[in-house]
Amino acid sequence: MAEPTLTISDRIQQELDRLTRAERQLAHSILENYPASGLGPLTALAKDANVSTPTVARMVQKLGFKGYPEFQNELREELKAKAKNPIAKHDTWTEGAPSGHVLNRFTDAVIDNIRHTLGQIEPETFDRACALIADTAHPLYIVGGRITHTMAEYLFLHAQIIRPRVTHIQSTSNAWPHYLLDVGEGDVFVIFDVRRYENNTLKLAEMAHARGAKIILFTDQWRSPVHSLADICFSSRIVAPSAWDSAAATLLLVESVISAMQDINWEDTKDRAERLEDMFDQTRLFRKFT
Amino acid sequence: MAEPTLTISDRIQQELDRLTRAERQLAHSILENYPASGLGPLTALAKDANVSTPTVARMVQKLGFKGYPEFQNELREELKAKAKNPIAKHDTWTEGAPSGHVLNRFTDAVIDNIRHTLGQIEPETFDRACALIADTAHPLYIVGGRITHTMAEYLFLHAQIIRPRVTHIQSTSNAWPHYLLDVGEGDVFVIFDVRRYENNTLKLAEMAHARGAKIILFTDQWRSPVHSLADICFSSRIVAPSAWDSAAATLLLVESVISAMQDINWEDTKDRAERLEDMFDQTRLFRKFT
DNA sequence: ACAGCGTTGTAATAAATTTGACATTATTCT
DNA sequence: AGAATAATGTCAAATTTATTACAACGCTGT
């Protein structure tokens, strides 16, 4: 399908010469605040341009639309496309694969999720969360559920290098109450809970909250019930062309948190990472070369 | 005049908790294509969000507008203001954060990684890999290392729903040789191995290869030594503005594989997923509503 | 100057959108 | 488990909005 790629703005400018006096007046009024003015009621647009309503109706028909509503519809489509576009300039991500291929469809969805997720985050909130997570004055607990424990563990594995006193709890394990024994005022909990919200996770959050712990929640756009207990809540978009959800946007947030954490405690982190390297050397766990 | 500088989008997000189910559904629909969808007729918006028209009317009143037209009016004002604003907003992902903020820098890197990663994949190779992974005629083994076992487990958790005979092996566990006892000709191994390539993983791959297993490798752009044994190799870009690497592109591939797998075995998957739901219902592990 | 034609506005009509009243359904609390 | 309450949808009335018909105006050329 060959996209016209001709915006209404373009079309109006093209026709400008063929338009009559009142119509030109109107055209300029539309272009003045494009596309906002065209999206209001016909009456308002006419008054704005100091022309009569039928002039508006006639002009949109001259431009090839059946009526004003159809004209507005296309304006809105344009707006939608514009919002999507900055990133979607890639027709296909994988060369040689049709745009309907899983890889392309899935990647589109993930990029979209990322954009929406990031768009909803206030940088101050994010910074505050990172400061809390990086604060070594309080123990850090990381909690995940059935699927999300993978994200929790990913965070844990890195947090463990960056700072001491980090614990990973799986809410699906029935041993989780044990961990709460030592929890006190001001301890920090990072909790992951996405769709198919888990009862165990909620109970755990309630108990942690009752003990005065601060809760940072990573959830989806519909928000886990834990969010009412959370001090800070990040909701990622997780929709994907699949029977299951995508964790990609969540992972991006987690990795950003890790990156921010290490910047906060850089001296410590460097030191700890070096000591870790030494220990790895002694265990011969990794290959020295290649 | 003190401008509130609070966009409707902000206000909706702020109120999100106080909104009811149908209203939240609607709110998400508005934010999905913001502000385009809110500028159409109330009727269309309601249909889009699968709620009734009065729900829309009620919500905009809850947000403090006299009626839908007034709501639209403010949306248009917002749009005008945005268009007038000399700073082109959309070069940062998180509004309000400077382009040097971790979130923006990290996201840029991840999108770039995704682009590079996808650009190097041949769709035929990908399809072949998915066919192998989905083929229930052979057992499937999924192997991960120190950090990558989180990706391995993510794949495992989903693969387990989609097909039988899936096993997750952590190469860092010293029990991994046990798993190789039963491995035979044609078994399929999915192996994750990224920088700081692990000796255990390589040994495991060698033994699996010696037994005639097929190996599908997920590695980074520098390629794990396992790649010489692999039938299929995917290398993701993993560079990030951080002391550690980003797994986001790898996760995207994994999720795409999951999506493709389920399409291949859809009948089976559906059946298995339903049975799983039943079992979940019986365990009361998840919340039924909200 | 005035006939003719194209342009524009006024007013009435038709169509649509929005809002309000009420019944039904879901949820919460006891 | 059942009553009370809140949420949601259906339907109809009211309002707004778009369109059409027609009259007035102004320009152009003879």
PDB file of all heavy atoms in Angstrom, chain A residues 229-261:
ATOM      1  N   LEU A 229       0.446   0.587  48.728  1.00  0.00           N
ATOM      2  CA  LEU A 229       1.381   0.569  49.852  1.00  0.00           C
ATOM      3  C   LEU A 229       2.735   1.150  49.460  1.00  0.00           C
ATOM      4  O   LEU A 229       3.594   1.372  50.314  1.00  0.00           O
ATOM      5  CB  LEU A 229       1.608  -0.885  50.313  1.00  0.00           C
ATOM      6  CG  LEU A 229       0.363  -1.702  50.645  1.00  0.00           C
ATOM      7  CD1 LEU A 229       0.716  -3.167  50.764  1.00  0.00           C
ATOM      8  CD2 LEU A 229      -0.251  -1.185  51.923  1.00  0.00           C
ATOM      9  N   ALA A 230       2.898   1.389  48.178  1.00  0.00           N
ATOM     10  CA  ALA A 230       4.244   1.724  47.684  1.00  0.00           C
ATOM     11  C   ALA A 230       4.555   3.202  47.846  1.00  0.00           C
ATOM     12  O   ALA A 230       3.689   4.053  47.702  1.00  0.00           O
ATOM     13  CB  ALA A 230       4.365   1.324  46.231  1.00  0.00           C
ATOM     14  N   ASP A 231       5.787   3.501  48.166  1.00  0.00           N
ATOM     15  CA  ASP A 231       6.248   4.880  48.209  1.00  0.00           C
ATOM     16  C   ASP A 231       6.506   5.385  46.803  1.00  0.00           C
ATOM     17  O   ASP A 231       6.269   6.537  46.482  1.00  0.00           O
ATOM     18  CB  ASP A 231       7.534   4.976  49.026  1.00  0.00           C
ATOM     19  CG  ASP A 231       7.272   4.652  50.486  1.00  0.00           C
ATOM     20  OD1 ASP A 231       7.331   3.459  50.831  1.00  0.00           O
ATOM     21  OD2 ASP A 231       6.975   5.585  51.250  1.00  0.00           O
ATOM     22  N   ILE A 232       7.048   4.497  45.973  1.00  0.00           N
ATOM     23  CA  ILE A 232       7.328   4.854  44.588  1.00  0.00           C
ATOM     24  C   ILE A 232       6.850   3.720  43.705  1.00  0.00           C
ATOM     25  O   ILE A 232       7.031   2.550  44.035  1.00  0.00           O
ATOM     26  CB  ILE A 232       8.840   5.076  44.379  1.00  0.00           C
ATOM     27  CG1 ILE A 232       9.321   6.252  45.242  1.00  0.00           C
ATOM     28  CG2 ILE A 232       9.145   5.324  42.915  1.00  0.00           C
ATOM     29  CD1 ILE A 232      10.798   6.492  45.173  1.00  0.00           C
ATOM     30  N   CYS A 233       6.228   4.085  42.598  1.00  0.00           N
ATOM     31  CA  CYS A 233       5.663   3.047  41.733  1.00  0.00           C
ATOM     32  C   CYS A 233       6.028   3.318  40.281  1.00  0.00           C
ATOM     33  O   CYS A 233       5.800   4.417  39.769  1.00  0.00           O
ATOM     34  CB  CYS A 233       4.144   3.037  41.911  1.00  0.00           C
ATOM     35  SG  CYS A 233       3.289   1.976  40.756  1.00  0.00           S
ATOM     36  N   PHE A 234       6.622   2.342  39.622  1.00  0.00           N
ATOM     37  CA  PHE A 234       6.909   2.451  38.195  1.00  0.00           C
ATOM     38  C   PHE A 234       6.017   1.490  37.433  1.00  0.00           C
ATOM     39  O   PHE A 234       6.032   0.290  37.699  1.00  0.00           O
ATOM     40  CB  PHE A 234       8.364   2.089  37.898  1.00  0.00           C
ATOM     41  CG  PHE A 234       9.348   3.024  38.532  1.00  0.00           C
ATOM     42  CD1 PHE A 234      10.115   2.609  39.606  1.00  0.00           C
ATOM     43  CD2 PHE A 234       9.499   4.311  38.055  1.00  0.00           C
ATOM     44  CE1 PHE A 234      11.023   3.487  40.200  1.00  0.00           C
ATOM     45  CE2 PHE A 234      10.401   5.187  38.641  1.00  0.00           C
ATOM     46  CZ  PHE A 234      11.169   4.776  39.719  1.00  0.00           C
ATOM     47  N   SER A 235       5.248   2.008  36.490  1.00  0.00           N
ATOM     48  CA  SER A 235       4.426   1.075  35.719  1.00  0.00           C
ATOM     49  C   SER A 235       4.905   1.022  34.272  1.00  0.00           C
ATOM     50  O   SER A 235       4.895   2.032  33.582  1.00  0.00           O
ATOM     51  CB  SER A 235       2.958   1.459  35.802  1.00  0.00           C
ATOM     52  OG  SER A 235       2.780   2.836  35.950  1.00  0.00           O
ATOM     53  N   SER A 236       5.316  -0.161  33.861  1.00  0.00           N
ATOM     54  CA  SER A 236       5.783  -0.356  32.495  1.00  0.00           C
ATOM     55  C   SER A 236       4.638  -0.824  31.618  1.00  0.00           C
ATOM     56  O   SER A 236       3.743  -1.517  32.082  1.00  0.00           O
ATOM     57  CB  SER A 236       6.863  -1.431  32.429  1.00  0.00           C
ATOM     58  OG  SER A 236       7.684  -1.409  33.557  1.00  0.00           O
ATOM     59  N   ARG A 237       4.711  -0.494  30.365  1.00  0.00           N
ATOM     60  CA  ARG A 237       3.783  -1.084  29.399  1.00  0.00           C
ATOM     61  C   ARG A 237       4.317  -2.449  29.035  1.00  0.00           C
ATOM     62  O   ARG A 237       5.521  -2.616  28.798  1.00  0.00           O
ATOM     63  CB  ARG A 237       3.728  -0.236  28.134  1.00  0.00           C
ATOM     64  CG  ARG A 237       2.740   0.879  28.217  1.00  0.00           C
ATOM     65  CD  ARG A 237       1.629   0.717  27.241  1.00  0.00           C
ATOM     66  NE  ARG A 237       2.139   0.425  25.918  1.00  0.00           N
ATOM     67  CZ  ARG A 237       1.459   0.674  24.820  1.00  0.00           C
ATOM     68  NH1 ARG A 237       0.290   1.224  24.889  1.00  0.00           N
ATOM     69  NH2 ARG A 237       1.962   0.345  23.654  1.00  0.00           N
ATOM     70  N   ILE A 238       3.427  -3.417  28.969  1.00  0.00           N
ATOM     71  CA  ILE A 238       3.895  -4.783  28.765  1.00  0.00           C
ATOM     72  C   ILE A 238       3.162  -5.490  27.638  1.00  0.00           C
ATOM     73  O   ILE A 238       3.297  -6.693  27.462  1.00  0.00           O
ATOM     74  CB  ILE A 238       3.702  -5.606  30.057  1.00  0.00           C
ATOM     75  CG1 ILE A 238       2.241  -5.593  30.478  1.00  0.00           C
ATOM     76  CG2 ILE A 238       4.578  -5.077  31.164  1.00  0.00           C
ATOM     77  CD1 ILE A 238       1.947  -6.538  31.603  1.00  0.00           C
ATOM     78  N   VAL A 239       2.380  -4.761  26.835  1.00  0.00           N
ATOM     79  CA  VAL A 239       1.600  -5.413  25.795  1.00  0.00           C
ATOM     80  C   VAL A 239       2.490  -5.895  24.658  1.00  0.00           C
ATOM     81  O   VAL A 239       3.441  -5.231  24.279  1.00  0.00           O
ATOM     82  CB  VAL A 239       0.516  -4.482  25.233  1.00  0.00           C
ATOM     83  CG1 VAL A 239      -0.492  -4.147  26.308  1.00  0.00           C
ATOM     84  CG2 VAL A 239       1.115  -3.225  24.656  1.00  0.00           C
ATOM     85  N   ALA A 240       2.173  -7.067  24.139  1.00  0.00           N
ATOM     86  CA  ALA A 240       2.982  -7.647  23.069  1.00  0.00           C
ATOM     87  C   ALA A 240       2.096  -8.508  22.190  1.00  0.00           C
ATOM     88  O   ALA A 240       1.053  -8.977  22.638  1.00  0.00           O
ATOM     89  CB  ALA A 240       4.113  -8.481  23.659  1.00  0.00           C
ATOM     90  N   PRO A 241       2.484  -8.692  20.944  1.00  0.00           N
ATOM     91  CA  PRO A 241       1.702  -9.563  20.059  1.00  0.00           C
ATOM     92  C   PRO A 241       1.973 -11.016  20.406  1.00  0.00           C
ATOM     93  O   PRO A 241       2.604 -11.742  19.651  1.00  0.00           O
ATOM     94  CB  PRO A 241       2.224  -9.199  18.671  1.00  0.00           C
ATOM     95  CG  PRO A 241       3.615  -8.705  18.887  1.00  0.00           C
ATOM     96  CD  PRO A 241       3.636  -8.092  20.256  1.00  0.00           C
ATOM     97  N   SER A 242       1.507 -11.427  21.544  1.00  0.00           N
ATOM     98  CA  SER A 242       1.826 -12.756  22.069  1.00  0.00           C
ATOM     99  C   SER A 242       0.813 -13.063  23.148  1.00  0.00           C
ATOM    100  O   SER A 242       0.142 -12.165  23.653  1.00  0.00           O
ATOM    101  CB  SER A 242       3.244 -12.722  22.640  1.00  0.00           C
ATOM    102  OG  SER A 242       3.466 -13.786  23.527  1.00  0.00           O
ATOM    103  N   ALA A 243       0.686 -14.302  23.520  1.00  0.00           N
ATOM    104  CA  ALA A 243      -0.242 -14.637  24.586  1.00  0.00           C
ATOM    105  C   ALA A 243       0.299 -14.154  25.925  1.00  0.00           C
ATOM    106  O   ALA A 243      -0.440 -14.044  26.890  1.00  0.00           O
ATOM    107  CB  ALA A 243      -0.479 -16.140  24.622  1.00  0.00           C
ATOM    108  N   TRP A 244       1.610 -13.864  25.969  1.00  0.00           N
ATOM    109  CA  TRP A 244       2.185 -13.401  27.222  1.00  0.00           C
ATOM    110  C   TRP A 244       2.687 -11.974  27.069  1.00  0.00           C
ATOM    111  O   TRP A 244       2.706 -11.421  25.974  1.00  0.00           O
ATOM    112  CB  TRP A 244       3.296 -14.339  27.657  1.00  0.00           C
ATOM    113  CG  TRP A 244       2.721 -15.637  28.053  1.00  0.00           C
ATOM    114  CD1 TRP A 244       2.119 -15.935  29.232  1.00  0.00           C
ATOM    115  CD2 TRP A 244       2.621 -16.823  27.243  1.00  0.00           C
ATOM    116  NE1 TRP A 244       1.646 -17.232  29.196  1.00  0.00           N
ATOM    117  CE2 TRP A 244       1.947 -17.788  28.018  1.00  0.00           C
ATOM    118  CE3 TRP A 244       3.038 -17.157  25.964  1.00  0.00           C
ATOM    119  CZ2 TRP A 244       1.678 -19.062  27.541  1.00  0.00           C
ATOM    120  CZ3 TRP A 244       2.782 -18.411  25.492  1.00  0.00           C
ATOM    121  CH2 TRP A 244       2.093 -19.369  26.273  1.00  0.00           C
ATOM    122  N   ASP A 245       3.092 -11.438  28.176  1.00  0.00           N
ATOM    123  CA  ASP A 245       3.492 -10.040  28.178  1.00  0.00           C
ATOM    124  C   ASP A 245       4.985  -9.890  27.926  1.00  0.00           C
ATOM    125  O   ASP A 245       5.737 -10.851  27.991  1.00  0.00           O
ATOM    126  CB  ASP A 245       3.126  -9.416  29.521  1.00  0.00           C
ATOM    127  CG  ASP A 245       1.645  -9.561  29.815  1.00  0.00           C
ATOM    128  OD1 ASP A 245       0.857  -9.298  28.892  1.00  0.00           O
ATOM    129  OD2 ASP A 245       1.295  -9.943  30.942  1.00  0.00           O
ATOM    130  N   SER A 246       5.373  -8.670  27.648  1.00  0.00           N
ATOM    131  CA  SER A 246       6.784  -8.391  27.426  1.00  0.00           C
ATOM    132  C   SER A 246       7.391  -7.720  28.643  1.00  0.00           C
ATOM    133  O   SER A 246       6.831  -6.793  29.201  1.00  0.00           O
ATOM    134  CB  SER A 246       6.958  -7.502  26.209  1.00  0.00           C
ATOM    135  OG  SER A 246       8.263  -6.963  26.198  1.00  0.00           O
ATOM    136  N   ALA A 247       8.544  -8.187  29.053  1.00  0.00           N
ATOM    137  CA  ALA A 247       9.216  -7.607  30.213  1.00  0.00           C
ATOM    138  C   ALA A 247      10.304  -6.637  29.784  1.00  0.00           C
ATOM    139  O   ALA A 247      11.063  -6.142  30.617  1.00  0.00           O
ATOM    140  CB  ALA A 247       9.806  -8.713  31.072  1.00  0.00           C
ATOM    141  N   ALA A 248      10.375  -6.367  28.502  1.00  0.00           N
ATOM    142  CA  ALA A 248      11.508  -5.596  27.995  1.00  0.00           C
ATOM    143  C   ALA A 248      11.580  -4.202  28.607  1.00  0.00           C
ATOM    144  O   ALA A 248      12.646  -3.748  29.020  1.00  0.00           O
ATOM    145  CB  ALA A 248      11.446  -5.506  26.474  1.00  0.00           C
ATOM    146  N   ALA A 249      10.440  -3.522  28.688  1.00  0.00           N
ATOM    147  CA  ALA A 249      10.461  -2.166  29.234  1.00  0.00           C
ATOM    148  C   ALA A 249      10.856  -2.197  30.707  1.00  0.00           C
ATOM    149  O   ALA A 249      11.607  -1.341  31.179  1.00  0.00           O
ATOM    150  CB  ALA A 249       9.098  -1.509  29.052  1.00  0.00           C
ATOM    151  N   THR A 250      10.357  -3.199  31.408  1.00  0.00           N
ATOM    152  CA  THR A 250      10.732  -3.336  32.816  1.00  0.00           C
ATOM    153  C   THR A 250      12.234  -3.542  32.952  1.00  0.00           C
ATOM    154  O   THR A 250      12.884  -2.928  33.793  1.00  0.00           O
ATOM    155  CB  THR A 250       9.987  -4.530  33.441  1.00  0.00           C
ATOM    156  OG1 THR A 250       8.598  -4.404  33.166  1.00  0.00           O
ATOM    157  CG2 THR A 250      10.206  -4.582  34.933  1.00  0.00           C
ATOM    158  N   LEU A 251      12.768  -4.404  32.099  1.00  0.00           N
ATOM    159  CA  LEU A 251      14.207  -4.661  32.163  1.00  0.00           C
ATOM    160  C   LEU A 251      15.001  -3.383  31.910  1.00  0.00           C
ATOM    161  O   LEU A 251      16.001  -3.107  32.578  1.00  0.00           O
ATOM    162  CB  LEU A 251      14.607  -5.730  31.145  1.00  0.00           C
ATOM    163  CG  LEU A 251      16.092  -6.094  31.145  1.00  0.00           C
ATOM    164  CD1 LEU A 251      16.512  -6.711  32.464  1.00  0.00           C
ATOM    165  CD2 LEU A 251      16.438  -7.024  29.990  1.00  0.00           C
ATOM    166  N   LEU A 252      14.530  -2.604  30.970  1.00  0.00           N
ATOM    167  CA  LEU A 252      15.204  -1.338  30.685  1.00  0.00           C
ATOM    168  C   LEU A 252      15.253  -0.465  31.928  1.00  0.00           C
ATOM    169  O   LEU A 252      16.297   0.106  32.268  1.00  0.00           O
ATOM    170  CB  LEU A 252      14.473  -0.609  29.547  1.00  0.00           C
ATOM    171  CG  LEU A 252      14.909   0.825  29.275  1.00  0.00           C
ATOM    172  CD1 LEU A 252      16.366   0.882  28.866  1.00  0.00           C
ATOM    173  CD2 LEU A 252      14.048   1.450  28.195  1.00  0.00           C
ATOM    174  N   LEU A 253      14.138  -0.376  32.631  1.00  0.00           N
ATOM    175  CA  LEU A 253      14.113   0.408  33.863  1.00  0.00           C
ATOM    176  C   LEU A 253      15.097  -0.148  34.879  1.00  0.00           C
ATOM    177  O   LEU A 253      15.853   0.589  35.511  1.00  0.00           O
ATOM    178  CB  LEU A 253      12.700   0.410  34.460  1.00  0.00           C
ATOM    179  CG  LEU A 253      11.676   1.285  33.766  1.00  0.00           C
ATOM    180  CD1 LEU A 253      10.361   1.249  34.532  1.00  0.00           C
ATOM    181  CD2 LEU A 253      12.184   2.718  33.671  1.00  0.00           C
ATOM    182  N   VAL A 254      15.074  -1.462  35.020  1.00  0.00           N
ATOM    183  CA  VAL A 254      15.954  -2.097  35.998  1.00  0.00           C
ATOM    184  C   VAL A 254      17.418  -1.808  35.664  1.00  0.00           C
ATOM    185  O   VAL A 254      18.207  -1.438  36.538  1.00  0.00           O
ATOM    186  CB  VAL A 254      15.704  -3.619  36.027  1.00  0.00           C
ATOM    187  CG1 VAL A 254      16.777  -4.330  36.822  1.00  0.00           C
ATOM    188  CG2 VAL A 254      14.331  -3.908  36.611  1.00  0.00           C
ATOM    189  N   GLU A 255      17.740  -1.932  34.403  1.00  0.00           N
ATOM    190  CA  GLU A 255      19.137  -1.679  34.025  1.00  0.00           C
ATOM    191  C   GLU A 255      19.511  -0.222  34.247  1.00  0.00           C
ATOM    192  O   GLU A 255      20.644   0.087  34.634  1.00  0.00           O
ATOM    193  CB  GLU A 255      19.357  -2.073  32.562  1.00  0.00           C
ATOM    194  CG  GLU A 255      19.279  -3.564  32.352  1.00  0.00           C
ATOM    195  CD  GLU A 255      19.680  -3.996  30.956  1.00  0.00           C
ATOM    196  OE1 GLU A 255      19.542  -3.196  30.014  1.00  0.00           O
ATOM    197  OE2 GLU A 255      20.156  -5.134  30.812  1.00  0.00           O
ATOM    198  N   SER A 256      18.555   0.671  34.010  1.00  0.00           N
ATOM    199  CA  SER A 256      18.830   2.087  34.257  1.00  0.00           C
ATOM    200  C   SER A 256      19.067   2.326  35.743  1.00  0.00           C
ATOM    201  O   SER A 256      19.943   3.106  36.125  1.00  0.00           O
ATOM    202  CB  SER A 256      17.667   2.946  33.775  1.00  0.00           C
ATOM    203  OG  SER A 256      17.462   2.758  32.401  1.00  0.00           O
ATOM    204  N   VAL A 257      18.281   1.654  36.557  1.00  0.00           N
ATOM    205  CA  VAL A 257      18.465   1.789  37.994  1.00  0.00           C
ATOM    206  C   VAL A 257      19.862   1.311  38.383  1.00  0.00           C
ATOM    207  O   VAL A 257      20.569   1.964  39.156  1.00  0.00           O
ATOM    208  CB  VAL A 257      17.393   0.990  38.765  1.00  0.00           C
ATOM    209  CG1 VAL A 257      17.761   0.899  40.237  1.00  0.00           C
ATOM    210  CG2 VAL A 257      16.030   1.631  38.598  1.00  0.00           C
ATOM    211  N   ILE A 258      20.254   0.187  37.825  1.00  0.00           N
ATOM    212  CA  ILE A 258      21.591  -0.342  38.132  1.00  0.00           C
ATOM    213  C   ILE A 258      22.661   0.679  37.758  1.00  0.00           C
ATOM    214  O   ILE A 258      23.575   0.970  38.535  1.00  0.00           O
ATOM    215  CB  ILE A 258      21.829  -1.666  37.366  1.00  0.00           C
ATOM    216  CG1 ILE A 258      20.886  -2.745  37.886  1.00  0.00           C
ATOM    217  CG2 ILE A 258      23.284  -2.100  37.489  1.00  0.00           C
ATOM    218  CD1 ILE A 258      20.839  -3.997  37.040  1.00  0.00           C
ATOM    219  N   SER A 259      22.504   1.222  36.576  1.00  0.00           N
ATOM    220  CA  SER A 259      23.476   2.200  36.114  1.00  0.00           C
ATOM    221  C   SER A 259      23.528   3.416  37.032  1.00  0.00           C
ATOM    222  O   SER A 259      24.604   3.909  37.385  1.00  0.00           O
ATOM    223  CB  SER A 259      23.107   2.617  34.686  1.00  0.00           C
ATOM    224  OG  SER A 259      23.971   3.610  34.221  1.00  0.00           O
ATOM    225  N   ALA A 260      22.360   3.888  37.445  1.00  0.00           N
ATOM    226  CA  ALA A 260      22.315   5.054  38.331  1.00  0.00           C
ATOM    227  C   ALA A 260      22.912   4.735  39.695  1.00  0.00           C
ATOM    228  O   ALA A 260      23.642   5.527  40.279  1.00  0.00           O
ATOM    229  CB  ALA A 260      20.872   5.528  38.482  1.00  0.00           C
ATOM    230  N   MET A 261      22.604   3.531  40.186  1.00  0.00           N
ATOM    231  CA  MET A 261      23.138   3.086  41.479  1.00  0.00           C
ATOM    232  C   MET A 261      24.649   3.131  41.503  1.00  0.00           C
ATOM    233  O   MET A 261      25.266   3.604  42.445  1.00  0.00           O
ATOM    234  CB  MET A 261      22.755   1.621  41.693  1.00  0.00           C
ATOM    235  CG  MET A 261      21.568   1.360  42.518  1.00  0.00           C
ATOM    236  SD  MET A 261      21.283  -0.425  42.516  1.00  0.00           S
ATOM    237  CE  MET A 261      21.976  -0.858  44.099  1.00  0.00           C
TER     238      MET A 261
END
